[in-house]
Amino acid sequence: MYLFTCLIFICSVAQLSAQSVSDSITKKIDGLFKKWDNSGSPGYAVGVVRNDSLIFAKGYGMANLEYNIPITAETIFHIASVSKQFTAFSIVLLARQGKLNLDDDIHKYLPWFPDLKAKITVRNLLNHTSGIRDQWQLLAIAGTRLHDVITQDQIIKILGKQRALNFSPGEEWNYSNSGYTMLAEIVRAVSGKSLRQFTDSVIFKPLGMKKTHFHDDYTETVPNRSYSYDRKDDAHFQNSTLSYSVAGATSLFTNVDDMSKWVMNFYNHKVGDQQDIEQLTQKGKLNNGKEQNYALGISVDDYKGHKMYSHNGSDAGYRTFVNIFPDQRMGFIVFSNLGDTDPNSKAAQVSDLFIKDLSPQKTTPKPAISDSTSAIFNDTLALKKFLGSYIADDAIRFNFKLNGKKLYLEQNGHINQLARGTKDTLVMPKFPNIRFVFKVKSPKKTILDEYWPEGHRQLVKYEAGAKKTDKQLLAYTGNCYCPELDCSYQIVLKDHRLLLTNSKYNDAMLNLYGDDQLINDLWWMSNLKVLRNDKNQITGFEVNSGRIMHLLFKKESGLRD
């Protein structure tokens, strides 16, 4: 009887698609996902929402390869960071009830978070402008693999030991999952309910999202859930383990059918009202007034002349994307359970079948000024002191070189010609908002300041081809301890190379750039800046990598007990 019911449902979904969308559009959507539409591959679930209806809903590929279970519109997916907008909307609803204020200091609700001598507001958490380091990187540095069991309490403990921020709150934008875990805890502190309980009663039940919940217990069984996979080779896949017992930044379980009801709520309100949606989609601002595209758990952009709300998600092998066009009363839902898929681009391709391009016609671009007089440097001798390799604290590397009387910047395989700007600056004609200013501090120290509309970066010149002796390299070796994470890494010398070693991970080769930048292939701490005292002795290093800056590791004189 159960199998018969499932078959009826699958047939009804197919009929819905055929009746609501023309055959030609259906064939085009099917063509976009044909590669995954077979019994040997994980795949996609796709939904198209118009007005108050889910006009297209279909699955492609398999929800479970071991048991040969196909994906349907009812298949449950872990939607990763698409979850954040639900956490943010919970905060919005509590604020409307007068139970909190977005500009409150977070310590009012989270007394366990350390006093870092800076006011961090609830809004900072929502907009990713808090400066709080990202939880996943912190856990990884501390030795927790992301496929290990990870709990809410574990994250709270690690955040409660932080001693510094990446930057002063509001000064910069840096995506931080930590902020949304903390927002879940604010919901708990204010409402007396867990985020799962609160969203279930206030959002999901009123919207009729019966198959949706924040999955805060990884041991819980969920009927009809998809499994997570990575590609092993062209024809084979492997399980991609996800064992999170966390909620806030991620872990919402839902399906296309339920998500369509949330999409409709952006323009046909059943939970909250237009004022709440406007609050949710209000773009964040930095302290200098510069507006960001990121609002509260959702991005706000223009897509082909239309306002678009969107967010993507990525955990283990799950890849998800939802975009909403409120003025067109449409939305597009693309979920996948395979790590090498790209729901963002697929959602754009599906959207293009329904959304008319209203963007202004582009005029023919003006020719680049690469051959103008400002890009010709007759006094090449004066430029030679600036030529060479530069590196920043975040491991960005530039190389400047002359070719005849033209100056070029190389970075990550890309080459751009430079031209003279104003006030002793250089610019890239292709990107005139980016400026470069060189400063010679001493015969051995040249500084490069790079400026762009969103920020500033400083780089230091180094000798790219220089090699150090074993005696020189030995100065970098030793045990380095991080008090914030209570973990240690060792730098050792082996076969004339420096290695980063830790009891939890395989050894990683360190490449030294200049005197003070150690680069490796570990995603969680790929760039280590060497720290020195007044006597130029190495005292440790700091991690400046991805969503973590200035995380201190102190060099110890001997091994710890």
Side-chain angles (χ1 to χ4, degrees):
M1 183 64 183
Y2 175 77
L3 179 60
F4 178 74
T5 303
C6 289
L7 289 172
I8 291 176
F9 171 75
I10 294 170
C11 291
S12 68
V13 169
Q15 291 170 359
L16 169 68
S17 301
Q19 291 170 358
S20 304
V21 177
S22 68
D23 289 343
S24 62
I25 295 294
T26 297
K27 288 179 181 178
K28 289 178 180 179
I29 297 175
D30 289 346
L32 293 174
F33 299 94
K34 182 178 179 180
K35 174 182 176 181
W36 300 270
D37 193 20
N38 62 77
S39 62
S41 171
Y44 284 92
V46 182
V48 178
V49 182
R50 178 185 286 150
N51 295 322
D52 60 352
S53 300
L54 178 62
I55 64 171
F56 181 92
K58 195 170 182 180
Y60 303 89
M62 308 304 289
N64 186 289
L65 293 174
E66 289 90 338
Y67 295 99
N68 204 35
I69 301 172
I71 295 172
T72 73
E74 283 289 288
T75 300
I76 301 294
F77 285 82
H78 167 108
I79 64 170
S81 286
V82 179
S83 310
K84 286 182 171 67
Q85 57 200 275
F86 296 91
T87 305
F89 200 56
S90 300
I91 295 291
V92 168
L93 294 176
L94 288 169
R96 274 298 294 275
Q97 296 170 18
K99 295 183 178 180
L100 60 80
N101 188 297
L102 300 192
D103 295 314
D104 284 340
D105 191 311
I106 62 171
H107 294 93
K108 180 177 179 180
Y109 311 107
L110 307 175
W112 52 263
F113 190 77
D115 180 7
L116 300 177
K117 307 305 178 185
K119 181 182 179 181
I120 304 170
T121 67
V122 176
R123 194 184 302 275
N124 288 143
L125 300 182
L126 290 161
N127 292 152
H128 296 300
T129 58
S130 68
I132 297 172
R133 295 164 176 151
D134 192 80
Q135 61 192 38
W136 304 129
Q137 262 187 272
L138 290 171
L139 287 166
I141 293 171
T144 298
R145 296 174 175 85
L146 295 190
H147 59 255
D148 293 343
V149 174
I150 299 176
T151 67
Q152 195 89 346
D153 286 345
Q154 185 180 0
I155 295 173
I156 290 169
K157 285 179 181 178
I158 211 165
L159 293 177
K161 295 178 181 178
Q162 292 300 288
R163 298 187 179 184
L165 299 170
N166 285 340
F167 50 82
S168 296
E171 289 297 309
E172 300 179 31
W173 186 94
N174 194 340
Y175 194 90
S176 174
N177 287 285
S178 305
Y180 275 77
T181 297
M182 295 168 69
L183 287 166
E185 293 306 301
I186 290 176
V187 170
R188 185 193 301 273
V190 172
S191 71
K193 298 179 180 179
S194 68
L195 182 64
R196 176 171 181 167
Q197 294 167 333
F198 183 83
T199 51
D200 184 59
S201 62
V202 176
I203 300 176
F204 303 143
K205 284 183 178 178
L207 288 178
M209 298 172 68
K210 298 178 181 179
K211 300 296 178 62
T212 301
H213 72 276
F214 269 103
H215 197 68
D216 53 6
D217 179 0
Y218 84 100
T219 65
E220 180 181 353
T221 59
V222 179
N224 208 27
R225 69 182 290 186
S226 61
Y227 279 68
S228 165
Y229 298 98
D230 282 324
R231 186 179 297 279
K232 192 172 183 180
D233 54 44
D234 289 344
H236 300 90
F237 305 91
Q238 59 191 16
N239 289 312
S240 185
T241 305
L242 189 65
S243 302
Y244 291 171
S245 290
V246 300
T250 184
S251 297
L252 192 77
F253 275 33
T254 191
N255 58 25
V256 165
D257 184 54
D258 270 16
M259 182 57 68
S260 70
K261 298 169 184 176
W262 170 250
V263 169
M264 297 171 201
N265 196 63
F266 277 82
Y267 49 79
N268 185 15
H269 316 304
K270 292 184 179 180
V271 175
D273 56 22
Q274 182 59 27
Q275 184 176 341
D276 297 319
I277 295 299
E278 289 174 0
Q279 179 73 273
L280 184 72
T281 57
Q282 182 181 357
K283 293 182 179 182
K285 289 184 179 181
L286 300 181
N287 292 340
N288 61 9
K290 183 171 179 58
E291 192 174 65
Q292 307 295 300
N293 285 343
Y294 202 92
L296 279 62
I298 199 164
S299 292
V300 181
D301 301 281
D302 177 273
Y303 181 79
K304 296 189 175 181
H306 302 279
K307 181 190 292 183
M308 181 180 76
Y309 307 143
S310 67
H311 211 292
N312 67 324
S314 175
D315 278 334
Y318 295 106
R319 300 292 181 269
T320 58
F321 187 80
V322 175
N323 60 349
I324 301 155
F325 297 87
D327 296 336
Q328 283 63 47
R329 298 170 68 89
M330 289 200 73
F332 302 88
I333 303 161
V334 182
F335 298 157
S336 176
N337 62 335
L338 177 59
D340 67 351
T341 54
D342 185 4
N344 300 43
S345 64
K346 289 300 177 186
Q349 291 173 323
V350 177
S351 301
D352 290 346
L353 298 175
F354 297 87
I355 301 293
K356 185 178 180 180
D357 189 350
L358 298 181
S359 53
Q361 291 187 346
K362 296 181 179 179
T363 57
T364 303
K366 295 180 180 179
I369 64 169
S370 58
D371 292 325
S372 72
T373 56
S374 63
I376 304 300
F377 295 87
N378 293 313
D379 188 4
T380 56
L381 185 62
L383 283 177
K384 286 187 177 179
K385 59 186 176 182
F386 301 132
L387 302 180
S389 301
Y390 293 77
I391 191 166
D393 284 351
D394 58 4
I396 293 295
R397 298 194 297 277
F398 293 159
N399 184 53
F400 294 87
K401 68 176 186 178
L402 275 172
N403 187 352
K405 293 184 178 182
K406 296 180 181 179
L407 180 63
Y408 293 91
L409 165 64
E410 296 180 336
Q411 197 247 331
N412 287 341
H414 299 286
I415 300 176
N416 284 287
Q417 189 173 357
L418 296 173
R420 284 185 293 273
T422 58
K423 297 182 180 179
D424 300 322
T425 67
L426 297 175
V427 299
M428 282 191 286
K430 290 183 179 179
F431 308 99
N433 287 333
I434 301 177
R435 299 182 295 115
F436 302 93
V437 181
F438 293 89
K439 298 175 184 176
V440 178
K441 296 289 187 179
S442 70
K444 292 185 178 181
K445 188 172 184 180
T446 302
I447 300 295
L448 168 65
D449 286 291
E450 179 194 11
Y451 298 92
W452 64 96
E454 292 79 21
H456 162 254
R457 175 189 291 119
Q458 190 169 88
L459 301 92
V460 179
K461 187 176 181 180
Y462 70 95
E463 191 175 348
K467 292 186 177 180
K468 295 189 180 293
T469 65
D470 282 4
K471 183 178 179 180
Q472 290 173 316
L473 292 176
L474 277 172
Y476 295 86
T477 63
N479 188 77
C480 293
Y481 175 70
C482 177
E484 295 184 36
L485 301 179
D486 191 22
C487 69
S488 294
Y489 283 78
Q490 293 78 43
I491 297 177
V492 299
L493 181 65
K494 184 178 181 181
D495 298 329
H496 314 293
R497 298 299 302 267
L498 292 174
L499 298 177
L500 186 68
T501 182
N502 173 275
S503 61
K504 297 290 184 71
Y505 300 115
N506 294 333
D507 294 350
M509 187 176 295
L510 292 170
N511 294 303
L512 182 62
Y513 289 84
D515 292 328
D516 295 327
Q517 299 290 343
L518 292 164
I519 313 299
N520 64 80
D521 292 330
L522 302 177
W523 69 264
W524 54 90
M525 52 189 303
S526 60
N527 182 49
L528 313 179
K529 180 184 177 181
V530 174
L531 302 176
R532 299 174 183 272
N533 60 20
D534 294 339
K535 298 180 181 179
N536 205 36
Q537 297 169 325
I538 295 174
T539 60
F541 63 78
E542 64 179 25
V543 178
N544 296 310
S545 177
R547 296 168 181 170
I548 287 183
M549 296 294 291
H550 313 303
L551 180 65
L552 178 63
F553 277 76
K554 298 178 181 179
K555 188 174 182 180
E556 298 182 319
S557 57
L559 293 177
R560 304 174 77 244
D561 292 336

